[in-house]
Amino acid sequence: MTTRKRPEDLRSHRWFGPNDLRSFGHRSRLRQMGYDAEDWTGRPVIGIINTWSDINPCHVHLRSRAEDVKRGVLQAGGFPLELPAMSLSESFVKPTTMLYRNMLAMEVEELLRSHPLDGAVLLGGCDKTTPGLLMGAISMDIPAIFVPAGPMLRGNWHGNVLGSGSDSWKYWDEKRAGRITDEQWAEIEGGIARSYGTCMVMGTAATMMAVAEALGFTLPSASSIPAPDANHPRMATQSGRRAVEMVWEDLTPSKILSAETVDNAIKVHLAMGGSTNCIIHLVAIARRAGIKLDMNRFDELSREIPVIANVRPSGAFLMEDFYYAGGIKALMSQLRSVLDLDRPTVTGKTVGQNIEGAEVYKADVIQSLNNPVSRDGATAVLKGNLAPRGCVIKPSAAEKRLHKHRGKVIAFEDYNHMAREIDREDLDVTADHVLVLKNAGPQGGPGMPEWGMLPIPKKLLKQGVRDMIRISDGRMSGTSYGACILHVAPESFVGGPLAFVQTGDEIEIDVPARKIHLHISDEEMARRKAAWKAPSPKYPRGYGAMFSEHIGQADDGCDFDFLSQAGKVSEPEIH
Ligand code: FES
């Protein structure tokens, strides 16, 4: 039987309860804002951590969703307080939001730690915000529920359904190949993002929101609701109500997370055909909770779990269709036989109870383990002399002929070098070449930008080539596709073998055998290594300098070394 907290056990009681000068100060300042004792006495204080901003189109609606959450908190007898956190708009933050995921995680941890909060409702969804919010809340370990921003509506152009990112790349290639006019391109610009909400393909946002749900951090099916759907504000209000109850039940992240929960999340990610970015984020999330996880686990489970969500870029539909087909609850019900159904969740019920009665309404959108969209798997981890600590590919989004390939390398030293060269008419390139991009890793980018889907050279596009092997130590957007080998670890910037690859070398890929090999001798590798000079850090001062000093490699989840461990966060002294 769970013991319910008493009002005097609340964390906020330390700020507001005692009859002393310090608490007098806190209470008088609440009164300054127009509250009185009725607002806080005996009520859990729920911090609504909001990543809304004017420059994040994926989170525009979170301003009003915070009000919906507040309504729920008040209904359940709590005291809601909204606290802003950095918004990390994937579209606008440069060089990459990944540079700031850990900063958001730190901000969340410290917001929760330093304020008189008993529980939290986390509002986010645009790519790095979900892991950032979860990592911070897990480290602080007070009751927390996640309200996913939800996907935007389908894009539309001349009756064609457009998907975020995926169709930008597709039609950009058509434009570069001369098959789309400037006028048509401008129309696509106006039709591809039709409402607030996150990208609506199975990109990093949709993947991580689903993963948050599979980990047990949301109400059932919350992660699939399109942002403009009226079910979305209702879910926000329900989450506010639930947050209050979670405080009384002391249902903290550490009581929800376990190795089995993380396995559930990996399985859902794989069945969704989720973004490769999930590997990095989930490793970081799990390690914050003290759960040992490395990318090999993704590879192991990927051999068992096929892709069953028929959503782009691995499939044909979009997140809006996925919701109408039954959403994540329906997808999880298709995975019943492979999920641990006894895991606890924020609802106070188990995973199995949460998905009770779920049905698939459109079998072509949410398929089954027996009739999957792809058996190629959403993740394969390759290893070899080029990537001793591993690298990843999404086989389900790559042309099958490239799963086994050997080709001559064209190597680019960095992004600018690649951008200068890639469209040159005299570039000596064929569809069998292997394009290699260096210095796109955690330190080299810095922040491991999403440069991993290197553009197909214009010359090849005109010949009709739409996929080829591309290798980098960077990431790729979850909305991207193709035979892109990513996250090569260790990265080139710190002297990983990728740094020593030269144009004219040969690289061999064997996805079924999980191998990647640079065809040079060990002696030649050693000679190149001895001649290699480490580049100077890109940021000599500020946050960037701290980032470079403490960032982990891709296989370690790119967390800061001083944040990655589990462990009790100390409570602030109140004087
Ligand atoms: Fe925000 Fe894609 S840009 S989710």
Side-chain angles (χ1 to χ4, degrees), residues 12-30 40 116 572-575:
S12 59
H13 185 77
R14 295 179 62 222
W15 274 261
F16 304 132
N19 187 14
D20 60 15
L21 180 59
R22 206 54 260 166
S23 297
F24 160 84
H26 299 145
R27 292 189 301 263
S28 71
R29 292 300 179 160
L30 287 180
W40 70 78
E573 303 216 351
I574 300 179
H575 299 301

Side-chain angles (χ1 to χ4, degrees), residues 56-59 88-91 125-127 152 164 197-199 205-206 479:
N56 191 341
C58 309
H59 291 183
L88 294 189
S89 169
E90 192 64 27
S91 317
C126 188
D127 291 24
M152 68 175 96
S164 318
T198 65
C199 293
T479 63

Side-chain angles (χ1 to χ4, degrees), residues 123-194:
L123 269 57
C126 188
D127 291 24
K128 313 304 177 295
T129 56
T130 303
L133 288 161
L134 290 181
M135 287 158 72
I138 289 165
S139 289
M140 185 53 207
D141 203 29
I142 62 172
I145 187 167
F146 180 62
V147 170
M152 68 175 96
L153 299 176
R154 298 184 197 100
N156 176 58
W157 173 65
H158 288 194
N160 298 302
V161 172
L162 297 180
S164 318
S166 308
D167 278 316
S168 313
W169 325 128
K170 184 176 133 190
Y171 286 105
W172 178 238
D173 281 349
E174 295 306 315
K175 185 175 180 308
R176 290 166 71 224
R179 296 204 187 91
I180 291 270
T181 64
D182 285 347
E183 292 69 35
Q184 289 173 320
W185 181 241
E187 287 168 359
I188 292 171
E189 184 176 301
I192 198 162
R194 290 173 48 233

